[in-house]
Amino acid sequence: MDFLEPALSGFGVVFTPVNLLYVLAGVVIGMVIGVLPGLGPVATIALLLPITYEIPAEGAIILLAGIYYGAMYGGTITSVLLRLPGEAATVITTIDGYQMARQGRAGSALGIAAIGSFIGGTVSIVGLTLVAPLLASLSLGFGPPENAVLAAMGILLVASLGTVSTAKSLTAAALGLLLAAVGPDPLYASPRFTFGSINLADGVDFIALAMGLFGLGEILYHLEHRARNRLPKPKVSNVWPSRDEWRQSRGAIGRGSVVGFFIGLLPGGGGVLSSMAAYTLEKRRSRQPERFGRGAIEGVAAPETANNAAATSSFIPLLTLGIPTNPVMALIFGALLLQGIAPGPRLINENPEVFWGVVDSMYVGNIFLLILSVPLVGVFVRLVTVRDTILAPIVVMVTMLGVYTVNNSVFDMLLVIFFGVVGYLMKKTGFEPGPLVLAFVLGSLLETAIRQSMRIFDGDPTGFVTRPISGTLFAAGVLALLVPVGLRLMRTRRARTRSTEPVDSGTPSR
């Protein structure tokens, strides 16, 4: 219980006027970009990285965290009212949420989503408060071998579990590792892969890479694949769910909180996976599964609760182990590095104001979300009608100005354009940029840790397996990689067995 005093002192950081403003700004910006299709927490955080460079570390991460979990609820509004998911994690909500809106129950759907998001987020924050210090204390004994295994497993797990195509994800991760190798050697400072360019002497700038792939690239892809029409303004009444609807939803909210919390801890987890898992769980355990897809309120409560819980719990591996589990966490990892702060087990002791300030800000942010979610529905619905031809040029201008102001470098602007085209082509050909950015962020840590470990082991790579902690982590990572493959093979074998079974014609034998 020694962590209670610093945990409570974190509220002193949050309740300063400027940090309260960052919390409020974060959740409002998150809700807005969650409403607008084509943007999202990844693109928005990438675009705001230059701004965070100029403000204190705790305020910067509080702002970015608010954007992340605020976007989880913002996407719900258009998913329910217009069948238009503003954020990937709310796609599953459109199934029952839009049917409820067609039945005149849009207010109930939005109300239960707000309540579920608040409960799921709060449960996950409590878990974060209790689990993170314990995990951080356990990981203090980690050395270069353990850090190397963690970084390698993080990249492989995200690449294999995070997207549909494992081969494409691994290819993107390999490209990220190659880009991470550009610049000075981490041990000898000799230049590598710079092709004689002074602009690449310090390596590829993380802000330019992130803003290009997730900012400009997403805008180009969205402009091509979406010609948004003027949408009718939907009506919302009876904002809060009835007593019967609450009784139907409370179990789904409880289970969604647990599912979201644990999936958020996994590499590749997050809002999308947790919302799908929670929805599937509710449908399978329901006595009337046919209700799902026709306006079942549990089909809104479960995924909305789970995605907010996952958004919060995904901070645990980042803050305690220094391992980002999804693209948003990779960007926040980069934001911390820009502030000169290394995420990991020493963060809680060396920068307690950042650690506990961010954790405690989530309590306040969830309250802000609950208070603001319903009154601002009308404003957010109007935002959907903003045409892409107006929104896209503004975002591009802000992107280019933002990246220039960091280093006053025209070369960084050219990098944004280059990676914007790369990001667009990746999306167009089915490659996700997430594994690339994760591998880029973890690449320098992985290389340095491996080279230090090999010096410790006198060149013997078996040391990674023989050390107790690194060996256990290695075994756990391999198991996590093999289990999904084994399950997939079992499903394939069962399907083949069923297809080869003789069909009974029903004719009695004589």
Side-chain angles (χ1 to χ4, degrees):
M1 303 297 284
D2 294 338
F3 68 90
L4 284 179
E5 184 176 348
L8 293 175
S9 67
F11 284 105
V13 176
V14 179
F15 286 121
T16 60
V18 64
N19 284 335
L20 278 177
L21 183 60
Y22 286 138
V23 175
L24 180 61
V27 297
V28 172
I29 293 172
M31 293 175 75
V32 170
I33 60 98
V35 167
L36 294 174
L39 291 176
V42 179
T44 304
I45 290 174
L47 297 177
L48 291 178
L49 281 177
I51 297 176
T52 63
Y53 186 71
E54 302 295 333
I55 61 180
E58 59 270 18
I61 309 306
I62 285 172
L63 174 66
L64 299 183
I67 291 172
Y68 184 30
Y69 56 79
M72 294 297 107
Y73 180 76
T76 306
I77 298 171
T78 48
S79 295
V80 171
L81 300 180
L82 305 171
R83 203 177 188 178
L84 188 65
E87 215 282 316
T90 62
V91 171
I92 201 76
T93 307
T94 61
I95 298 174
D96 284 279
Y98 183 67
Q99 293 300 322
M100 290 183 66
R102 292 183 62 186
Q103 298 166 11
R105 300 161 58 205
S108 297
L110 293 175
I112 203 66
I115 295 172
S117 297
F118 174 75
I119 294 175
T122 302
V123 169
S124 193
I125 298 167
V126 173
L128 170 60
T129 305
L130 297 175
V131 173
L134 176 62
L135 189 58
S137 63
L138 292 176
S139 58
L140 281 174
F142 285 15
E146 288 75 23
N147 291 332
V149 172
L150 274 177
M153 291 300 106
I155 294 172
L156 289 175
L157 287 173
V158 169
S160 61
L161 302 178
T163 55
V164 176
S165 174
T166 302
K168 290 183 176 180
S169 296
L170 289 173
T171 303
L175 179 58
L177 290 175
L178 178 62
L179 291 172
V182 176
D185 183 286
L187 296 185
Y188 300 106
S190 56
R192 304 178 305 184
F193 305 112
T194 61
F195 304 101
S197 172
I198 299 177
N199 294 308
L200 292 175
D202 292 329
V204 176
D205 187 75
F206 173 74
I207 293 179
L209 174 71
M211 294 178 77
L213 288 176
F214 292 119
L216 189 58
E218 288 287 340
I219 292 169
L220 294 174
Y221 181 79
H222 180 68
L223 286 174
E224 181 185 10
H225 287 80
R226 184 171 190 83
R228 192 186 311 154
N229 300 318
R230 291 283 178 178
L231 296 168
K233 181 182 175 182
K235 296 181 180 179
V236 180
S237 59
N238 300 323
V239 174
W240 297 109
S242 65
R243 184 175 299 177
D244 289 339
E245 288 173 328
W246 166 248
R247 187 173 62 252
Q248 290 175 333
S249 305
R250 60 190 181 189
I253 290 174
R255 287 182 289 271
S257 299
V258 176
V259 169
F261 176 79
F262 285 104
I263 290 182
L265 299 175
L266 302 175
V272 179
L273 183 59
S274 62
S275 61
M276 293 179 63
Y279 185 87
T280 303
L281 174 63
E282 292 305 310
K283 186 175 181 179
R284 286 185 176 179
R285 72 178 307 278
S286 175
R287 295 180 181 177
Q288 297 175 310
E290 66 276 4
R291 292 174 51 246
F292 286 79
R294 299 179 181 179
I297 195 168
E298 305 97 301
V300 175
E304 287 303 309
T305 302
N307 64 36
N308 269 61
T312 301
S313 64
S314 59
F315 279 86
I316 295 178
L318 174 70
L319 298 177
T320 59
L321 301 176
I323 301 298
T325 57
N326 57 54
V328 174
M329 292 299 106
L331 293 176
I332 295 179
F333 184 102
L336 284 166
L337 293 180
L338 289 174
Q339 297 283 349
I341 296 174
R346 292 178 175 82
L347 176 64
I348 192 171
N349 293 322
E350 295 179 356
N351 300 98
E353 71 285 352
V354 174
F355 185 94
W356 289 114
V358 172
V359 172
D360 292 344
S361 73
M362 296 180 187
Y363 289 102
V364 181
N366 268 278
I367 295 174
F368 282 159
L369 273 177
L370 185 65
I371 295 172
L372 297 173
S373 56
V374 176
L376 294 180
V377 167
V379 176
F380 293 144
V381 170
R382 290 191 187 95
L383 286 174
V384 182
T385 62
V386 178
R387 294 180 179 177
D388 291 336
T389 52
I390 297 174
L391 184 64
I394 295 174
V395 175
V396 172
M397 181 182 68
V398 172
T399 300
M400 302 308 291
L401 287 175
V403 73
Y404 178 78
T405 56
V406 175
N407 298 315
N408 294 328
S409 171
V410 176
F411 181 77
D412 286 350
M413 299 173 70
L414 297 176
L415 277 182
V416 171
I417 296 173
F418 172 76
F419 285 118
V421 174
V422 171
Y424 162 74
L425 293 175
M426 288 180 71
K427 294 281 288 185
K428 192 173 177 64
T429 54
F431 287 84
E432 287 293 333
L436 188 156
V437 174
L438 283 163
F440 178 82
V441 169
L442 293 175
S444 58
L445 169 65
L446 176 64
E447 180 187 3
T448 304
I450 287 178
R451 293 173 67 175
Q452 290 175 342
S453 300
M454 294 302 288
R455 287 189 172 189
I456 294 173
F457 301 145
D458 292 329
D460 182 10
T462 60
F464 289 103
V465 182
T466 55
R467 280 173 66 107
I469 299 179
S470 62
T472 303
L473 292 172
F474 182 82
V478 171
L479 186 63
L481 287 170
L482 294 180
V483 167
V485 176
L487 293 176
R488 194 178 307 162
L489 291 175
M490 289 176 61
R491 286 195 297 267
T492 303
R493 183 174 299 177
R494 289 177 182 174
R496 289 178 180 175
T497 303
R498 291 174 182 172
S499 63
T500 56
E501 287 179 353
V503 179
D504 186 4
S505 61
T507 305
S509 58
R510 295 183 180 180

mmCIF file of all heavy atoms in Angstrom, residues 232-248:
data_model
loop_
_atom_site.group_PDB
_atom_site.id
_atom_site.type_symbol
_atom_site.label_atom_id
_atom_site.label_comp_id
_atom_site.label_asym_id
_atom_site.label_seq_id
_atom_site.Cartn_x
_atom_site.Cartn_y
_atom_site.Cartn_z
ATOM 1 N N PRO A 232 -28.762 13.699 -43.264
ATOM 2 C CA PRO A 232 -29.865 14.296 -42.522
ATOM 3 C C PRO A 232 -29.544 14.389 -41.045
ATOM 4 O O PRO A 232 -28.831 13.544 -40.491
ATOM 5 C CB PRO A 232 -31.017 13.303 -42.767
ATOM 6 C CG PRO A 232 -30.357 12.008 -43.072
ATOM 7 C CD PRO A 232 -29.082 12.359 -43.788
ATOM 8 N N LYS A 233 -30.056 15.411 -40.410
ATOM 9 C CA LYS A 233 -29.818 15.610 -38.987
ATOM 10 C C LYS A 233 -30.760 14.727 -38.186
ATOM 11 O O LYS A 233 -31.977 14.903 -38.226
ATOM 12 C CB LYS A 233 -30.040 17.073 -38.611
ATOM 13 C CG LYS A 233 -29.775 17.360 -37.149
ATOM 14 C CD LYS A 233 -30.049 18.810 -36.838
ATOM 15 C CE LYS A 233 -29.892 19.088 -35.343
ATOM 16 N NZ LYS A 233 -30.195 20.483 -35.006
ATOM 17 N N PRO A 234 -30.229 13.714 -37.476
ATOM 18 C CA PRO A 234 -31.097 12.810 -36.731
ATOM 19 C C PRO A 234 -31.605 13.461 -35.446
ATOM 20 O O PRO A 234 -31.040 14.429 -34.954
ATOM 21 C CB PRO A 234 -30.174 11.623 -36.415
ATOM 22 C CG PRO A 234 -28.815 12.217 -36.404
ATOM 23 C CD PRO A 234 -28.814 13.361 -37.371
ATOM 24 N N LYS A 235 -32.673 12.890 -34.937
ATOM 25 C CA LYS A 235 -33.279 13.409 -33.710
ATOM 26 C C LYS A 235 -32.961 12.470 -32.547
ATOM 27 O O LYS A 235 -32.954 11.258 -32.693
ATOM 28 C CB LYS A 235 -34.793 13.541 -33.879
ATOM 29 C CG LYS A 235 -35.190 14.551 -34.953
ATOM 30 C CD LYS A 235 -36.705 14.651 -35.061
ATOM 31 C CE LYS A 235 -37.105 15.668 -36.131
ATOM 32 N NZ LYS A 235 -38.577 15.770 -36.274
ATOM 33 N N VAL A 236 -32.717 13.065 -31.388
ATOM 34 C CA VAL A 236 -32.412 12.289 -30.194
ATOM 35 C C VAL A 236 -33.373 12.705 -29.093
ATOM 36 O O VAL A 236 -33.522 13.894 -28.808
ATOM 37 C CB VAL A 236 -30.959 12.511 -29.718
ATOM 38 C CG1 VAL A 236 -30.669 11.698 -28.476
ATOM 39 C CG2 VAL A 236 -29.984 12.165 -30.833
ATOM 40 N N SER A 237 -34.046 11.724 -28.498
ATOM 41 C CA SER A 237 -34.944 11.998 -27.375
ATOM 42 C C SER A 237 -34.790 10.888 -26.348
ATOM 43 O O SER A 237 -34.173 9.860 -26.616
ATOM 44 C CB SER A 237 -36.398 12.065 -27.857
ATOM 45 O OG SER A 237 -36.772 10.846 -28.479
ATOM 46 N N ASN A 238 -35.328 11.097 -25.163
ATOM 47 C CA ASN A 238 -35.237 10.091 -24.085
ATOM 48 C C ASN A 238 -33.782 9.650 -23.900
ATOM 49 O O ASN A 238 -33.426 8.498 -24.130
ATOM 50 C CB ASN A 238 -36.122 8.877 -24.387
ATOM 51 C CG ASN A 238 -37.581 9.255 -24.522
ATOM 52 O OD1 ASN A 238 -38.075 10.128 -23.811
ATOM 53 N ND2 ASN A 238 -38.276 8.608 -25.448
ATOM 54 N N VAL A 239 -32.968 10.615 -23.480
ATOM 55 C CA VAL A 239 -31.524 10.430 -23.534
ATOM 56 C C VAL A 239 -31.032 9.275 -22.664
ATOM 57 O O VAL A 239 -30.119 8.569 -23.046
ATOM 58 C CB VAL A 239 -30.824 11.746 -23.124
ATOM 59 C CG1 VAL A 239 -29.331 11.549 -23.028
ATOM 60 C CG2 VAL A 239 -31.161 12.829 -24.124
ATOM 61 N N TRP A 240 -31.629 9.048 -21.511
ATOM 62 C CA TRP A 240 -31.117 8.010 -20.628
ATOM 63 C C TRP A 240 -31.931 6.729 -20.749
ATOM 64 O O TRP A 240 -33.132 6.762 -20.999
ATOM 65 C CB TRP A 240 -31.138 8.505 -19.182
ATOM 66 C CG TRP A 240 -30.237 9.673 -18.974
ATOM 67 C CD1 TRP A 240 -30.592 10.961 -18.739
ATOM 68 C CD2 TRP A 240 -28.810 9.665 -19.027
ATOM 69 N NE1 TRP A 240 -29.493 11.760 -18.636
ATOM 70 C CE2 TRP A 240 -28.381 10.995 -18.807
ATOM 71 C CE3 TRP A 240 -27.851 8.679 -19.246
ATOM 72 C CZ2 TRP A 240 -27.041 11.351 -18.796
ATOM 73 C CZ3 TRP A 240 -26.514 9.041 -19.222
ATOM 74 C CH2 TRP A 240 -26.127 10.353 -19.003
ATOM 75 N N PRO A 241 -31.272 5.572 -20.609
ATOM 76 C CA PRO A 241 -31.979 4.292 -20.736
ATOM 77 C C PRO A 241 -32.988 4.084 -19.611
ATOM 78 O O PRO A 241 -32.844 4.626 -18.509
ATOM 79 C CB PRO A 241 -30.849 3.253 -20.665
ATOM 80 C CG PRO A 241 -29.734 3.943 -19.959
ATOM 81 C CD PRO A 241 -29.832 5.393 -20.342
ATOM 82 N N SER A 242 -34.016 3.282 -19.916
ATOM 83 C CA SER A 242 -35.034 2.971 -18.915
ATOM 84 C C SER A 242 -34.494 1.976 -17.904
ATOM 85 O O SER A 242 -33.399 1.436 -18.056
ATOM 86 C CB SER A 242 -36.272 2.397 -19.602
ATOM 87 O OG SER A 242 -35.958 1.145 -20.198
ATOM 88 N N ARG A 243 -35.311 1.709 -16.868
ATOM 89 C CA ARG A 243 -34.888 0.765 -15.829
ATOM 90 C C ARG A 243 -34.705 -0.633 -16.408
ATOM 91 O O ARG A 243 -33.758 -1.346 -16.072
ATOM 92 C CB ARG A 243 -35.925 0.748 -14.706
ATOM 93 C CG ARG A 243 -35.536 -0.122 -13.523
ATOM 94 C CD ARG A 243 -36.543 0.011 -12.394
ATOM 95 N NE ARG A 243 -36.614 1.398 -11.900
ATOM 96 C CZ ARG A 243 -37.449 1.787 -10.954
ATOM 97 N NH1 ARG A 243 -38.298 0.913 -10.399
ATOM 98 N NH2 ARG A 243 -37.448 3.048 -10.538
ATOM 99 N N ASP A 244 -35.608 -1.045 -17.294
ATOM 100 C CA ASP A 244 -35.483 -2.369 -17.909
ATOM 101 C C ASP A 244 -34.225 -2.451 -18.771
ATOM 102 O O ASP A 244 -33.528 -3.483 -18.775
ATOM 103 C CB ASP A 244 -36.723 -2.673 -18.755
ATOM 104 C CG ASP A 244 -37.956 -2.932 -17.904
ATOM 105 O OD1 ASP A 244 -37.791 -3.266 -16.707
ATOM 106 O OD2 ASP A 244 -39.078 -2.784 -18.427
ATOM 107 N N GLU A 245 -33.952 -1.404 -19.517
ATOM 108 C CA GLU A 245 -32.757 -1.407 -20.368
ATOM 109 C C GLU A 245 -31.488 -1.439 -19.521
ATOM 110 O O GLU A 245 -30.506 -2.099 -19.897
ATOM 111 C CB GLU A 245 -32.774 -0.178 -21.275
ATOM 112 C CG GLU A 245 -33.820 -0.262 -22.376
ATOM 113 C CD GLU A 245 -33.950 1.032 -23.158
ATOM 114 O OE1 GLU A 245 -33.749 2.111 -22.555
ATOM 115 O OE2 GLU A 245 -34.263 0.968 -24.357
ATOM 116 N N TRP A 246 -31.491 -0.738 -18.399
ATOM 117 C CA TRP A 246 -30.335 -0.794 -17.505
ATOM 118 C C TRP A 246 -30.155 -2.191 -16.939
ATOM 119 O O TRP A 246 -29.031 -2.692 -16.842
ATOM 120 C CB TRP A 246 -30.484 0.230 -16.395
ATOM 121 C CG TRP A 246 -29.520 0.031 -15.263
ATOM 122 C CD1 TRP A 246 -29.806 -0.344 -13.993
ATOM 123 C CD2 TRP A 246 -28.090 0.167 -15.317
ATOM 124 N NE1 TRP A 246 -28.656 -0.442 -13.251
ATOM 125 C CE2 TRP A 246 -27.585 -0.133 -14.040
ATOM 126 C CE3 TRP A 246 -27.199 0.510 -16.334
ATOM 127 C CZ2 TRP A 246 -26.237 -0.100 -13.745
ATOM 128 C CZ3 TRP A 246 -25.844 0.543 -16.035
ATOM 129 C CH2 TRP A 246 -25.370 0.240 -14.758
ATOM 130 N N ARG A 247 -31.268 -2.851 -16.582
ATOM 131 C CA ARG A 247 -31.175 -4.202 -16.045
ATOM 132 C C ARG A 247 -30.610 -5.166 -17.103
ATOM 133 O O ARG A 247 -29.831 -6.073 -16.788
ATOM 134 C CB ARG A 247 -32.552 -4.669 -15.574
ATOM 135 C CG ARG A 247 -32.506 -6.025 -14.843
ATOM 136 C CD ARG A 247 -33.838 -6.396 -14.224
ATOM 137 N NE ARG A 247 -34.880 -6.541 -15.232
ATOM 138 C CZ ARG A 247 -35.884 -5.682 -15.413
ATOM 139 N NH1 ARG A 247 -35.976 -4.606 -14.634
ATOM 140 N NH2 ARG A 247 -36.787 -5.869 -16.349
ATOM 141 N N GLN A 248 -31.000 -4.976 -18.351
ATOM 142 C CA GLN A 248 -30.483 -5.825 -19.421
ATOM 143 C C GLN A 248 -28.999 -5.564 -19.687
ATOM 144 O O GLN A 248 -28.276 -6.484 -20.111
ATOM 145 C CB GLN A 248 -31.271 -5.575 -20.717
ATOM 146 C CG GLN A 248 -32.702 -6.077 -20.682
ATOM 147 C CD GLN A 248 -33.457 -5.684 -21.950
ATOM 148 O OE1 GLN A 248 -33.151 -4.681 -22.601
ATOM 149 N NE2 GLN A 248 -34.437 -6.491 -22.319
#
